[in-house]
Amino acid sequence: MAAFSANVSHFAAVKAAGNLTKSIVFPAEGCNPAIPIRSRRNLHLDRPLYISAASGFGGIKIREPSIECNAYDARGAESAPFSVEVNEAVSQKVKIGVYFATWWALNVVFNIYNKKVLNVFPFPWLTSTLSLAAGSLIMLVSWATRIAEVPQTDFPFWKALLPVALAHTIGHVAATVSMSKVAVSFTHIIKSSEPAFSVLVSRFLLGESFPLPVYLSLMPIIGGCALSALTELNFNLTGFMGAMVSNLAFVFRNIFSKKGMEGKSVGGLNYYACLSILSLLILTPFAIAMEGPQLWSLGWQKAVYEIGPNFVWWVVAQSVFYHLYNQVSYMSLNEISPLTFSIGNTMKRISVIVASIIVFHTPLQPINILGAAIAISGTFLYSQAKR
């Protein structure tokens, strides 16, 4: 009887131990909630048995599982958006850099070919007209072939654009007249004084006021341009006045554009295209009156005789590159601030001056170089003072 009781007790202990091992919950790797272990004999337990300390129960040795908890870095959740923002910022800087490099390169090419044409074909009115005609033709073809989106314009838009186009036409022709009389480098040195005209016109005609550093930055601009003009070896009054008139006209162009084009949906590439078309319509009758087809024909024959077929390529190149560099500059205005654009415009003048001196072997005196450096430095200080 005692043996039988011992067997029963032994059997009960073994069964309890078996049930225990089937209901202990072992945490899974990574601290995830565990799933109760199922018996191979399909023994289902209604409730799993959770034991806090089972190491000394009935002599049963239970091997404690090794639990590995991987640390969670809360910063990782924020790193992805931050990384995206950094990538977007880098991409934007690269995009602006490409805009600037393209803008400067196209402008340098235009100025070189424009000066080559004017040296053998001194008709700045026709040359300016061809530049606007090439840009207008390019955009009309782009609209017709749907390469560029056709702008939605109305009569109020063209009415507001008219004074802008008039100022743009005067500024373009005046700059071309200047380059037909003097070196490209001298024209751009004088044109670097445009900020001075902008401040003076805004102050005395529009009543705007500026902080003292802005007025102080005009001193090196004016002084540097005066020094360059006085020491220019090939000084020409018509060339000097052409650059000055161009500065004044472009200041009014910017003012009219800011005042009259607010709220208009057309911008960037299409805005400049419409500006070119309207300027072409304004300029053509004046070009015919100032020079005329008879002079153009004689001048064209003389240029082709002296240069050969390359002259035609020069005319096409200066016309196309004029449109392209202006197109890129207007497109960049949609991506950058006016301050950044102003700084880029200053650097553009430096690249044009240096390139033209190298290509045309322009003779310069040290005092002339000093004046140019002072004027351009003043332009940079002006852009910083307006921040």
Side-chain angles (χ1 to χ4, degrees):
M1 193 62 151
F4 177 78
S5 299
N7 290 335
V8 171
S9 300
H10 177 71
F11 176 80
V14 171
K15 183 176 181 180
N19 291 338
L20 178 63
T21 58
K22 291 179 178 60
S23 57
I24 295 176
V25 177
F26 292 93
E29 185 177 356
C31 296
N32 293 328
I35 302 174
I37 301 175
R38 301 293 185 182
S39 171
R40 292 185 178 180
R41 295 174 296 179
N42 298 325
L43 179 60
H44 301 282
L45 302 177
D46 294 335
R47 294 182 180 178
L49 180 61
Y50 296 92
I51 299 178
S52 60
S55 58
F57 181 79
I60 300 174
K61 302 295 183 182
I62 301 177
R63 180 172 173 263
E64 296 183 0
S66 59
I67 302 174
E68 179 182 358
C69 294
N70 298 321
Y72 174 72
D73 187 0
R75 294 174 298 178
E78 300 177 356
S79 62
F82 177 75
S83 177
V84 172
E85 292 177 0
V86 170
N87 291 336
E88 290 180 352
V90 172
S91 176
Q92 183 67 10
K93 289 182 179 180
V94 171
K95 187 177 182 180
I96 293 174
V98 171
Y99 271 128
F100 275 2
T102 307
W103 176 23
W104 299 341
L106 293 173
N107 191 265
V108 167
V109 174
F110 158 72
N111 279 275
I112 290 174
Y113 279 108
N114 189 47
K115 184 60 177 176
K116 283 186 173 185
V117 170
L118 292 172
N119 283 341
V120 297
F121 187 73
F123 297 97
W125 289 83
L126 176 59
T127 304
S128 302
T129 304
L130 293 176
S131 301
L132 295 174
S136 300
L137 179 61
I138 290 173
M139 289 310 303
L140 289 174
V141 172
S142 299
W143 291 336
T145 57
R146 301 299 178 179
I147 296 177
E149 183 181 356
V150 180
Q152 301 298 321
T153 62
D154 50 18
F155 179 75
F157 168 80
W158 293 102
K159 182 180 178 180
L161 188 64
L162 180 60
V164 183
L166 180 61
H168 178 74
T169 303
I170 296 174
H172 177 42
V173 173
T176 308
V177 169
S178 175
M179 283 191 282
S180 69
K181 300 296 182 180
V182 296
V184 176
S185 57
F186 181 72
T187 297
H188 280 272
I189 291 172
I190 301 304
K191 283 180 66 63
S192 66
S193 64
E194 184 177 326
F197 285 86
S198 178
V199 171
L200 294 176
V201 170
S202 299
R203 177 69 182 86
F204 293 105
L205 294 184
L206 302 180
E208 297 182 10
S209 59
F210 300 91
L212 181 61
V214 172
Y215 293 108
L216 294 177
S217 68
L218 301 182
M219 297 176 62
I221 295 176
I222 298 173
C225 290
L227 186 61
S228 295
L230 292 175
T231 59
E232 175 64 26
L233 296 176
N234 299 316
F235 179 82
N236 181 280
L237 183 59
T238 302
F240 174 77
M241 293 303 299
M244 297 290 280
V245 170
S246 178
N247 282 337
L248 187 61
F250 284 143
V251 167
F252 278 104
R253 180 193 65 179
N254 296 337
I255 292 174
F256 292 148
S257 180
K258 181 179 179 181
K259 297 292 184 181
M261 301 308 296
E262 290 181 355
K264 302 296 187 296
S265 59
V266 180
L269 174 60
N270 282 334
Y271 176 81
Y272 179 70
C274 295
L275 182 63
S276 295
I277 293 173
L278 191 54
S279 295
L280 176 63
L281 296 176
I282 296 173
L283 177 58
T284 300
F286 286 95
I288 295 174
M290 292 297 296
E291 295 171 348
Q294 186 175 359
L295 290 177
W296 294 340
S297 177
L298 294 175
W300 188 275
Q301 292 176 10
K302 182 176 180 292
V304 171
Y305 177 77
E306 292 180 358
I307 305 300
N310 283 339
F311 172 72
V312 178
W313 158 246
W314 292 357
V315 174
V316 173
Q318 73 91 24
S319 302
V320 172
F321 280 104
Y322 173 79
H323 172 77
L324 292 179
Y325 100 76
N326 278 286
Q327 174 181 314
V328 174
S329 68
Y330 272 83
M331 291 171 62
S332 65
L333 277 173
N334 292 338
E335 304 292 336
I336 60 179
S337 65
L339 173 62
T340 306
F341 184 84
S342 177
I343 296 174
N345 197 42
T346 302
M347 301 304 295
K348 178 205 72 176
R349 297 207 185 281
I350 295 175
S351 62
V352 171
I353 291 171
V354 173
S356 64
I357 291 173
I358 295 173
V359 172
F360 297 108
H361 306 286
T362 306
L364 293 175
Q365 295 179 346
I367 191 69
N368 190 262
I369 298 175
L370 177 62
I374 293 174
I376 293 173
S377 299
T379 305
F380 178 78
L381 293 176
Y382 166 80
S383 64
Q384 296 297 310
K386 287 201 69 177
R387 300 181 65 172

